[in-house]
Amino acid sequence: MIKNLLYILVFLYSFDCISQTATIDTTEFIQEVQYDKSAITPLQFDDEAIQELKQDEAFDYVEFVPPDNIWTRFKSWINGLWNSFIDWILQGNEATGILGFLVKALPYLLIAGVLAFLVWLFLRIDLGGSPLKNTELNKVILSDEQDIIETQDIHSLITQAVRENKYRLAVRFYYLLVLQKLSQKDIIDWQVQKTNADYVYEIKSEKLRKEFTKLTRIYDFIWYGNFDVNETDFLKAEKEFKQITATL
């Protein structure tokens, strides 16, 4: 009897909970739209401030594109060769630490080396064209060419220079002898103000022009380069001069 009564109470309690849960809330919410009717003042742009900002480099985002010309293409080509050389040395690895510093500094070291070599070469050149300055024979300069070619016995001058072991001076006399013979054959029009390159263009024979160009290089190297010329070097140069003078 008591057990049945408990069942009835549990049933009634459960039914009451279900009834409360099923109740529908019918409360209504009214939404009202509010408009902002306050006065609005339009913003004014400061033209002077805008111009100042335009001139400020900090706000310049335009990327500079270098002009496409021969110089820029040459620099790009050099940079490409240099990058390929570095990649070849490093085998595609990134240079870091001391090696990275050396890679960055190497181009400047090469440029400095080239400049140092040019300065050294410039200091070695005898701009006066005179190998020694202790005798009258060694005071032959460019202004003496006309007198030597037109009036002097160049063979005797060569013999005297060789006898005194002044081989650079002997090479100079040999070159003047070639100019003398070319002028006498009307192959060139010798003039004091002309350069050796002018005479090269005046020679019509291709074979003779090549031989004279070779002699000019030998002469320029020995005479204008302040280098010691020994007997062996002179004999090699003398052979070249004798070959061309024999055909004139």
Side-chain angles (χ1 to χ4, degrees), residues 139-205:
K139 292 181 180 179
V140 179
I141 57 177
L142 292 177
S143 60
D144 299 325
E145 286 187 355
Q146 184 174 6
D147 178 65
I148 294 173
I149 292 177
E150 294 180 355
T151 65
Q152 298 292 324
D153 182 2
I154 301 181
H155 287 285
S156 299
L157 296 176
I158 294 173
T159 302
Q160 183 180 353
V162 173
R163 187 186 306 117
E164 297 180 4
N165 297 329
K166 299 180 176 68
Y167 299 117
R168 290 180 66 244
L169 188 59
V171 170
R172 174 171 172 78
F173 288 143
Y174 261 120
Y175 192 76
L176 295 180
L177 177 62
V178 173
L179 292 178
Q180 183 187 64
K181 289 184 173 294
L182 290 174
S183 178
Q184 292 173 351
K185 297 287 186 178
D186 293 329
I187 298 175
I188 63 172
D189 180 21
W190 187 87
Q191 299 291 337
V192 177
Q193 70 274 11
K194 286 186 177 180
T195 64
N196 296 334
D198 294 330
Y199 300 132
V200 171
Y201 290 112
E202 290 181 12
I203 298 175
K204 305 301 181 182
S205 172

Side-chain angles (χ1 to χ4, degrees), residues 6-91:
L6 291 174
Y7 286 150
I8 293 171
L9 292 174
V10 170
F11 174 77
L12 293 174
Y13 178 76
S14 300
F15 180 79
D16 182 62
C17 291
I18 293 172
S19 299
Q20 291 179 4
T21 303
T23 302
I24 299 174
D25 188 1
T26 58
T27 304
E28 294 183 0
F29 294 94
I30 300 174
Q31 296 181 350
E32 181 180 357
V33 179
Q34 296 181 356
Y35 297 94
D36 185 4
K37 299 181 179 180
S38 59
I40 299 176
T41 303
L43 295 176
Q44 299 294 330
F45 293 99
D46 189 345
D47 294 335
E48 183 177 352
I50 293 176
Q51 293 300 325
E52 292 179 357
L53 292 175
K54 286 183 177 181
Q55 297 175 2
D56 191 345
E57 295 182 356
F59 297 95
D60 186 5
Y61 303 108
V62 178
E63 183 177 357
F64 174 73
V65 179
D68 185 17
N69 51 39
I70 296 177
W71 173 243
T72 55
R73 288 195 294 267
F74 174 74
K75 290 196 298 183
S76 299
W77 178 70
I78 292 296
N79 290 333
L81 289 180
W82 177 254
N83 293 332
S84 299
F85 174 70
I86 296 300
D87 291 339
W88 176 74
I89 292 180
L90 301 178
Q91 298 296 321

Side-chain angles (χ1 to χ4, degrees), residues 130 132-140 164 166 169:
S130 177
L132 297 173
K133 298 182 180 180
N134 56 348
T135 65
E136 291 296 326
L137 182 62
N138 292 329
K139 292 181 180 179
V140 179
E164 297 180 4
K166 299 180 176 68
L169 188 59

